[in-house]
Amino acid sequence: MSDAAQPTAAEVRAAAEAVKAALDRHLDAVERRTGDDDPDVYEAFNALAAAAEAYDERLYDRYDEVTPFEIPGADDSLPPYAGPEEPNALSVLIRRDYAVAEPQRLLAQAQRITDLDPEAEEPDAGERTAPVVGSSIHAALGVLFGEYEPDEIASRHKEFGLEEGDSTLWVSAADELPEPGEWLSTPFDHADPQRVVCRFDVSAVFDEEELEDDLDEEDLRPAP
């Protein structure tokens, strides 16, 4: 950054004062919280994160110095919780991405599952049959996900020729359990971020960030 674009010492000091004020606001909200998902605490948390990030950036730009704080990404946060305080029902929404890394392994595994199926019928002589699953990725995926639970596929994905991508799990609160079959035609149209009780994300980008942090720490260590 050029000298002209650097923040002034007064701007750095103002950013530090903003962090102090945000800390007081956050503590006050925590002391007055009305439940585990108090929206005032959530808003104060986000304000503190934003103030700390702004201070961290100005401190680095002005003095080439860093803080010991890990600032959560604001873009990854959920909106304030607006669901029932004591949910009577839950919806668990899961997304897992995979790449078909080894198609031949996937095809072979699907064909093996089909060959071992005791309910599979032998075709009559001279009857024209559909292609075996071992020659169709589309059919092989249907066999694989029809045979195994999603958690088992996640734990054995390499065995099936798949490569993991990002995944996320949302636990969403509901007022009551829907009627059987009520949402089956549009199962993912009613996900409301404001009713998410908790979420768990897995991504290679987190590992990359941890690696970068470790490398940065090594760079800051004095030479022996």
Side-chain angles (χ1 to χ4, degrees):
M1 177 177 289
S2 66
D3 292 341
Q6 286 183 348
T8 65
E11 288 174 330
V12 178
R13 174 63 61 180
E17 294 299 327
V19 173
K20 297 175 187 178
L23 276 168
D24 289 338
R25 177 189 173 191
H26 182 260
L27 178 57
D28 183 60
V30 170
E31 290 175 337
R32 294 183 295 101
R33 74 189 313 161
T34 58
D36 292 339
D37 301 299
D38 191 311
D40 290 340
V41 175
Y42 184 89
E43 292 176 5
F45 173 89
N46 284 340
L48 176 57
E53 184 172 14
Y55 171 62
D56 188 85
E57 291 177 354
R58 286 165 175 74
L59 184 71
Y60 182 81
D61 291 342
R62 177 68 185 181
Y63 299 110
D64 198 24
E65 187 57 72
V66 296
T67 67
F69 309 124
E70 181 179 354
I71 309 302
D75 292 339
D76 296 331
S77 61
L78 290 167
Y81 178 74
E85 185 172 346
E86 297 184 3
N88 295 317
L90 296 173
S91 290
V92 180
L93 309 176
I94 302 175
R95 171 173 174 169
R96 294 188 178 116
D97 288 353
Y98 297 97
V100 181
E102 299 180 73
Q104 292 305 316
R105 179 182 291 273
L106 171 63
L107 294 170
Q109 289 283 15
Q111 189 62 55
R112 181 185 63 82
I113 294 169
T114 302
D115 292 342
L116 293 175
D117 185 358
E119 297 182 0
E121 298 180 358
E122 292 292 335
D124 296 333
E127 181 181 353
R128 184 177 180 181
T129 62
V132 293
V133 296
S135 63
S136 167
I137 294 293
H138 182 277
L141 289 171
V143 169
L144 179 65
F145 283 87
E147 178 71 15
Y148 298 107
E149 293 291 332
D151 287 344
E152 185 169 3
I153 293 176
S155 64
R156 299 172 59 186
H157 62 277
K158 292 183 178 179
E159 179 182 337
F160 302 127
L162 303 176
E163 180 180 319
E164 281 186 314
D166 289 353
S167 66
T168 188
L169 182 150
W170 291 17
V171 179
S172 181
D175 297 314
E176 58 184 14
L177 200 65
E179 293 294 328
E182 181 178 333
W183 50 256
L184 290 179
S185 61
T186 56
F188 305 111
D189 286 359
H190 305 292
D192 184 353
Q194 289 190 295
R195 283 181 166 253
V196 173
V197 177
C198 57
R199 64 178 289 179
F200 303 94
D201 301 317
V202 177
S203 175
V205 71
F206 300 145
D207 299 331
E208 294 171 0
E209 290 174 355
E210 291 178 1
L211 178 60
E212 290 175 358
D213 291 341
D214 291 341
L215 293 175
D216 290 342
E217 290 178 2
E218 291 179 0
D219 291 341
L220 294 173
R221 293 172 188 164

